[in-house]
């Protein structure tokens, strides 16, 4: 059974930083494309960042480019999202997602991901 668990959310002032972690189990992590998404109250779930099996292919939403960094450590079965220069509009529940198929890279579409974590709240105060 595949499980995806996020951690690291919290309350931070504008301009601050947070690092989210996502650990997956129940599947060979090094063969799993991973992504981060977020959902603000009353809005749809939006793409944030994605990374391929090896970390060689990475993509960011325009809204976070230059401020967020996605990375992965296959030895620890963990993917990270380093978030710097946080803004109030970054406030949302952040979800980690895993592709359980054969895709080397799953990209920005939610339908490309098979397993999701429970989400972790990030709140940025002004």
């Amino acid at each position: 059974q595949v499980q995806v668990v996020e951690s690291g959310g919290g309350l931070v002032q504008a301009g601050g930083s947070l690092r989210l972690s996502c650990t997956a189990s129940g599947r060979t992590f090094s063969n799993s494309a991973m992504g981060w998404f977020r959902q603000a109250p009353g809005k749809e779930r939006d793409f944030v960042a994605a990374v391929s099996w090896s970390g060689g292919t990475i993509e960011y939403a325009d809204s976070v480019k230059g401020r967020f960094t996605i990375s992965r450590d296959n030895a620890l079965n963990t993917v990270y999202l380093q978030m710097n220069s946080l803004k109030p509009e970054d406030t949302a529940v952040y979800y980690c997602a895993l592709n359980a198929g054969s895709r080397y890279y799953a990209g920005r579409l939610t339908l490309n991901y098979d397993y999701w974590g429970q989400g972790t709240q990030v709140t940025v105060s002004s």
Side-chain angles (χ1 to χ4, degrees):
Q1 181 179 358
V2 177
Q3 289 189 316
V4 178
V5 180
E6 306 98 336
S7 62
L11 173 64
V12 63
Q13 288 189 333
S17 298
L18 282 175
R19 188 177 80 156
L20 305 183
S21 300
C22 169
T23 301
S25 60
R27 172 182 168 83
T28 303
F29 184 77
S30 59
N31 290 348
S32 301
M34 302 295 295
W36 284 99
F37 293 77
R38 66 187 181 185
Q39 188 166 18
K43 296 189 176 182
E44 294 185 350
R45 190 167 298 189
D46 291 332
F47 170 76
V48 176
V51 61
S52 60
W53 291 0
S54 65
T57 299
I58 287 175
E59 185 179 5
Y60 297 99
D62 287 344
S63 59
V64 307
K65 203 171 294 183
R67 300 187 298 122
F68 290 11
T69 301
I70 189 171
S71 62
R72 64 189 295 160
D73 186 334
N74 288 341
L76 297 178
N77 290 359
T78 301
V79 62
Y80 304 98
L81 186 68
Q82 177 67 43
M83 305 185 294
N84 298 329
S85 301
L86 282 161
K87 305 175 181 180
E89 50 263 45
D90 294 319
T91 295
V93 177
Y94 283 70
Y95 296 92
C96 180
L98 178 151
N99 172 268
S102 59
R103 290 177 182 265
Y104 170 75
Y105 175 71
R108 59 177 59 222
L109 298 180
T110 57
L111 59 86
N112 288 344
Y113 295 87
D114 305 290
Y115 294 92
W116 295 79
Q118 80 288 351
T120 186
Q121 177 70 47
V122 172
T123 303
V124 184
S125 63
S126 57

